[in-house]
Amino acid sequence: MPTLLTVLTAATPAPSPENTLRPGLDPSQVSPGLVGFLMTFLLAAAVVLLVMDFNRRNRRLRYRAQYAEQRAAEDHVGGYADDAAASPSSTSRTGGSSEGDVARPPRAGDRRDGPPRD
């Protein structure tokens, strides 16, 4: 192990004792200045807004999934659907609808399914 430490210390350069710029450079030429600060600020603001939007969309998906699970459980148990809508004799065998058919309640995959939007 001592050889590894000596190799590592020999491989790292020692910092120069002087903190001066090369001749001919002004400190304002090597700093990012106002433009760099503004770009960094805009980038940070965009990241914060994207994270907030991601959290909002993720929360909405979670609520919709919970609602769909509740609806599926209600439909499986019987839920609020009346017996006429659940019986096979009340629907048409051809898949079309007639005036005597009872409208089916929306399922979990329907577009209008889910809690109301903000």
Side-chain angles (χ1 to χ4, degrees), residues 32-43:
L34 181 64
V35 175
F37 171 74
L38 290 176
M39 293 303 290
T40 304
F41 180 78
L42 289 175
L43 183 65

Side-chain angles (χ1 to χ4, degrees), residues 54-115:
F54 172 76
N55 284 334
R56 181 177 52 95
R57 290 175 186 268
N58 199 11
R59 190 178 317 119
R60 187 183 303 158
L61 278 173
R62 189 174 56 238
Y63 290 151
R64 284 184 180 172
Q66 287 175 352
Y67 183 76
E69 288 175 4
Q70 288 175 351
R71 287 290 300 264
E74 287 175 357
D75 288 346
H76 187 277
V77 174
Y80 63 88
D82 49 355
D83 293 332
S87 68
S89 63
S90 66
T91 59
S92 172
R93 293 194 186 270
T94 61
S97 66
S98 62
E99 287 186 36
D101 286 346
V102 176
R104 70 166 177 84
R107 292 184 294 180
D110 287 348
R111 175 80 173 124
R112 61 181 176 262
D113 186 43

